[in-house]
Amino acid sequence: MYSHQQLMMDLVAVLLLCGVLLLPSTAKDVPFDDNYRITYGNDHVAFFNQGTQLQLSMDVHSGAGFGSKVNYGSGFFDMRIKVPNKDSAGVVTTFYLSSNSQYAHDEVDFEFLGNKEGKPYALQTNVFAHGVGGREERTLLWFDPTADFHSYQILWNPYHIVFYVDNIPIRIYKNNTASGVGYPSQPMQILASLWDGDGWATDGGKTKTDWSQAPFIASYQGFNVDGCPLTDNQNMDIQRCQSPNYWWNQRKFWKLDSNQMKAMEAVRNKYMNYDYCSDRNRYPVPPLECSSNTYE
């Protein structure tokens, strides 16, 4: 069994060999109130460093969450997060995009699934398109996400969605609408939360939240937003968010280059421990996107 340090050394060696091009740094230290508001659990929220760092807490009474003040039609969404430490089994920390539509909603998820102390966190990603989800992948992180802040990033443009951890791509979801595969295309809000998911989050719900460890704390930084904003009056004008005037829509971001692909494959080969496309008990016939050109 690899230690975290050995895993990180292996990955760094791969990245140096590949010469991965880093993405622009967008998780800047601007005040929370510039772009976000608390959505629930106001009494479970604390601010630090002139409002540039937020702390969500969860106890047996409540969790907490926040969201962007406007929706977005495309962008590169970057948040620095430090997840709860100690025994965090059953605790779910999130950073995601959601259309918030009642029916046929779109959603792009990062979900950190807590675990017993000493066991690794699983980072779950998922994509909902037109109300259809069930596209979970889980990756065991190659570092301790409770020890410090790390960047978790979503690039969403008309061509693909890419999930990154510290600028390293870990998953691609391509726009294959021409093949009949759903793709998120509605305006989406940026959301984050800390909540009790012990019915499913750890060991399929077998390991429950230990409330004696509460309060559980998740911290967030980087409240700048690099996205195409849509006000309520503009929500039907999402087409303008496909403009190449936005850097994330430019041709070089339509697909990963060969070095980025190598880095992603290294992560997936070493650290991914669940892929819905390979789950034949759940999907005897793989979903359509699994048989299409899933990557580049």
Side-chain angles (χ1 to χ4, degrees):
M1 182 71 177
Y2 281 90
S3 68
H4 284 304
Q5 183 177 10
Q6 288 171 318
L7 294 175
M8 178 57 99
M9 290 173 62
D10 286 353
L11 182 62
V12 169
V14 170
L15 296 180
L16 290 174
L17 180 64
C18 295
V20 170
L21 177 65
L22 296 182
L23 292 159
S25 177
T26 63
K28 298 174 183 176
D29 291 324
V30 302
F32 173 86
D33 290 337
D34 284 6
N35 296 306
Y36 291 92
R37 63 175 183 267
I38 302 302
T39 54
Y40 74 99
N42 293 64
D43 58 347
H44 287 64
V45 178
F47 292 95
F48 302 91
N49 300 327
Q50 291 76 51
T52 62
Q53 180 174 322
L54 172 145
Q55 180 179 284
L56 302 181
S57 66
M58 185 183 76
D59 56 28
V60 71
H61 302 291
S62 179
F66 65 90
S68 58
K69 294 179 177 179
V70 301
N71 292 334
Y72 296 87
S74 65
F76 182 69
F77 306 99
D78 187 349
M79 190 72 70
R80 295 195 300 269
I81 305 171
K82 182 166 65 172
V83 299
N85 59 9
K86 303 184 293 186
D87 183 345
S88 61
V91 179
V92 180
T93 307
T94 72
F95 168 51
Y96 63 107
L97 311 176
S98 177
S99 65
N100 291 320
S101 44
Q102 186 173 1
Y103 302 105
H105 85 287
D106 293 342
E107 189 169 306
V108 181
D109 297 336
F110 274 122
E111 296 174 309
F112 301 82
L113 310 183
N115 212 336
K116 300 290 286 184
E117 189 167 8
K119 292 187 177 181
Y121 257 83
L123 174 59
Q124 177 167 282
T125 59
N126 199 1
V127 176
F128 287 76
H130 313 305
V132 178
R135 299 182 172 101
E136 297 91 348
E137 292 185 1
R138 296 189 197 107
T139 301
L140 298 178
L141 293 169
W142 52 93
F143 53 84
D144 180 359
T146 73
D148 204 350
F149 288 90
H150 290 267
S151 291
Y152 303 92
Q153 303 142 318
I154 298 169
L155 186 148
W156 172 38
N157 65 26
Y159 309 98
H160 61 187
I161 292 165
V162 186
F163 297 83
Y164 298 86
V165 176
D166 290 336
N167 288 325
I168 300 165
I170 66 167
R171 179 180 183 179
I172 297 170
Y173 185 84
K174 289 187 67 177
N175 186 343
N176 277 314
T177 53
S179 301
V181 177
Y183 188 77
S185 58
Q186 302 176 68
M188 291 196 281
Q189 183 185 17
I190 308 167
L191 293 160
S193 60
L194 179 65
W195 58 282
D196 177 25
D198 76 355
W200 65 276
T202 307
D203 300 328
K206 296 176 183 177
T207 303
K208 301 298 184 180
T209 303
D210 181 358
W211 294 109
S212 71
Q213 301 293 318
F216 301 98
I217 303 295
S219 298
Y220 294 78
Q221 297 175 339
F223 299 118
N224 180 64
V225 178
D226 217 1
C228 172
L230 294 166
T231 66
D232 289 342
N233 293 332
Q234 295 173 318
N235 272 348
M236 300 306 292
D237 190 26
I238 195 170
Q239 294 299 317
R240 73 178 183 83
C241 293
Q242 299 181 8
S243 168
N245 292 331
Y246 294 108
W247 67 260
W248 54 85
N249 290 335
Q250 294 172 8
R251 180 174 291 273
K252 65 181 177 179
F253 297 104
W254 292 5
K255 61 187 296 184
L256 299 187
D257 64 29
S258 60
N259 290 332
Q260 291 171 320
M261 286 296 296
K262 289 176 184 176
M264 185 181 72
E265 289 166 1
V267 169
R268 293 174 69 83
N269 288 338
K270 276 187 175 291
Y271 311 124
M272 189 169 71
N273 71 343
Y274 178 79
D275 179 0
Y276 75 105
C277 284
S278 301
D279 190 339
R280 291 296 172 266
N281 290 327
R282 186 179 180 192
Y283 296 112
V285 178
L288 183 59
E289 67 268 17
C290 297
S291 58
S292 62
N293 183 17
T294 306
Y295 302 122
E296 303 295 338

